[in-house]
Amino acid sequence: MKQVAVAFGGPSAEHDISILTGLQAARLLNQGGLDVLAVYWDRGGNWHTVPVDSEARDFIDGAPARATQVEPVLGRNGGWRPVKGLRPKTYRPEAVLSCFHGGYAEAGGARALFDWMGLPSTGGSLFAGALSVDKLAFGSVIAQAGLPTLPRLIVGDGHADPDFDGPYIVKPRFGGSSIGIEVVQDLAAAKGLAKQNVHLADGAVLEPYRPDLYDLNVAVITHPTFRASLIEKPIRPGSDSIYSYSDKYLHTSGLSQAPREMPAPISDELAARIRALAEQVAGLVGLGSLARLDFLSDGTEVFVNEVNNIPGAMSLYLWPDDRPADLLKNALEQAVRGRSSNEAPTVFARGEALRAAGGIAGKLANLGGPTR
């Protein structure tokens, strides 16, 4: 590959974190010898190409001053085309590194868009994105597969009450990065929170809150063969009951400098179990390279918690023995090589139903109903 795109931003509560991930990835790939097209999707829905050397502060008020507005071009030879110009050139990179966090973009929307643009992209399949962001669906798949996970139910009026006692941890059904997550003592409080918290407007789930459990995270590479990274144990500052958004991201040095123990101080047996579970989950969901899986454990028991299809900072810090640019290039290579196997079949029964249909007027008449 010679030219690739790094796409970031998008309509999401995690918009700012996506910018940070995208800018870091763009510079790493550029330093690794690739021509990088940095593409920013702003909060208003407009797309821009931006300089690779842009800084985070350049995006505080929107697209940077040196940005060029572009628009997506759909089709087999699609890409991005400048909005202004007599005969604007369409930028068509060989692959796209998707750095979107949260929202419809991470939930498979960006993958669908890039497929329609004819561009291979990272982040697993459309279906992997949708399953990863839906905590209820993901938990159900993991439980159905017989893997260890805490019970997870939808909360709100009209839904069955849990058959386990509080305290509960309440989470947005769709989302990530600990935004909107709170611990409550009883079901009434959980239902009240589901009605009032803006981050729970699209749905809320609850599960038992176990203060004896702590977080353990591992990243995975799925191409050319499966590999699991070092396992980290994030540190919850003070008496905080959850690993919060600010714990993860609000540091001058970013997620890589968030408080953690790495490698996690756990037994070799537990580490082996986590890596084995990570490989099973990656296969179940259809994850692409550089995904991150989050577990809960008390040092003996371990539970699959969540999966991050496009994790903050691409979880590069979990691979201290690998060159970051090589990890990103590997993910892009997987996208290019795996594109044909992920394309929807279009040759089955092509035209047969149309030839057999006859006239639309006749079909409407067969529907019945009042006539004039």
Side-chain angles (χ1 to χ4, degrees):
M1 288 180 290
K2 294 182 179 180
Q3 186 189 61
V4 299
V6 175
F8 55 91
S12 166
E14 300 172 62
H15 182 94
D16 289 0
I17 306 307
S18 176
I19 292 173
L20 297 176
T21 295
L23 293 178
Q24 293 174 58
R27 289 201 193 184
L28 286 168
L29 288 170
N30 188 247
Q31 293 167 4
L34 292 180
D35 180 13
V36 177
L37 181 71
V39 185
Y40 169 56
W41 189 6
D42 71 24
R43 290 179 175 86
N46 297 312
W47 295 81
H48 312 263
T49 57
V50 300
V52 172
D53 63 354
S54 298
E55 294 291 347
R57 60 179 175 270
D58 298 334
F59 295 81
I60 292 175
D61 297 319
R66 294 182 292 160
T68 299
Q69 188 173 347
V70 294
E71 58 186 1
V73 178
L74 305 186
R76 188 171 293 274
N77 295 311
W80 284 277
R81 178 174 56 207
V83 171
K84 297 181 179 179
L86 294 177
R87 299 187 65 183
K89 171 187 175 183
T90 296
Y91 298 109
R92 181 168 174 77
E94 296 171 70
V96 181
L97 184 75
S98 183
C99 294
F100 297 110
H101 299 320
Y104 295 143
E106 185 178 355
R111 176 56 187 265
L113 175 62
F114 296 143
D115 283 350
W116 288 329
M117 294 167 69
L119 300 175
S121 61
T122 62
S125 69
L126 180 158
F127 314 104
L131 183 58
S132 300
V133 169
D134 187 339
K135 293 183 176 68
L136 183 65
F138 173 75
S140 299
V141 168
I142 298 303
Q144 182 65 32
L147 304 184
T149 188
L150 295 174
R152 183 174 292 169
L153 301 173
I154 196 164
V155 59
D157 295 336
H159 298 283
D161 292 343
D163 58 0
F164 48 88
D165 296 329
Y168 304 107
I169 186 165
V170 182
K171 305 177 180 180
R173 177 175 173 179
F174 309 99
S177 297
S178 302
I179 296 175
I181 296 178
E182 294 192 37
V183 174
V184 298
Q185 294 302 311
D186 53 49
L187 186 58
K191 290 182 176 181
L193 188 64
K195 293 178 180 179
Q196 298 170 11
N197 189 321
V198 64
H199 298 295
L200 306 178
D202 291 330
V205 295
L206 62 73
E207 57 193 52
Y209 171 61
R210 297 224 350 223
D212 59 317
L213 301 179
Y214 49 82
D215 302 277
L216 293 172
N217 303 332
V218 64
V220 298
I221 285 173
T222 57
H223 170 80
T225 58
F226 180 87
R227 279 201 295 148
S229 72
L230 290 181
I231 299 171
E232 67 164 340
K233 179 185 177 183
I235 297 174
R236 305 171 185 174
S239 59
D240 287 354
S241 57
I242 59 173
Y243 185 37
S244 70
Y245 178 88
S246 60
D247 297 338
K248 290 180 182 180
Y249 298 119
L250 300 187
H251 301 267
T252 302
S253 300
L255 182 60
S256 63
Q257 296 301 312
R260 63 171 55 84
E261 295 179 271
M262 190 174 76
I266 57 176
S267 67
D268 292 343
E269 187 274 333
L270 179 57
R273 254 195 297 161
I274 287 173
R275 292 192 173 98
L277 285 169
E279 185 168 12
Q280 289 178 274
V281 173
L284 279 171
V285 177
L287 296 177
S289 283
L290 299 182
R292 194 188 78 230
L293 297 98
D294 301 347
F295 296 84
L296 295 170
S297 178
D298 62 359
T300 302
E301 288 185 293
V302 63
F303 302 95
V304 178
N305 186 28
E306 297 176 10
V307 63
N308 291 268
N309 198 41
I310 307 177
M314 305 304 287
S315 289
L316 297 175
Y317 60 91
L318 289 173
W319 304 92
D321 296 327
D322 291 78
R323 292 181 66 238
D326 290 344
L327 293 170
L328 298 176
K329 289 178 182 179
N330 178 77
L332 288 160
E333 180 182 287
Q334 181 187 36
V336 172
R337 294 193 176 192
R339 178 184 175 194
S340 60
S341 63
N342 289 327
E343 290 181 332
T346 58
V347 297
F348 178 73
R350 179 177 292 177
E352 280 83 347
L354 301 178
R355 282 188 285 270
I360 296 299
K363 289 189 174 296
L364 292 175
N366 290 334
L367 294 177
T371 58
R372 294 184 179 179

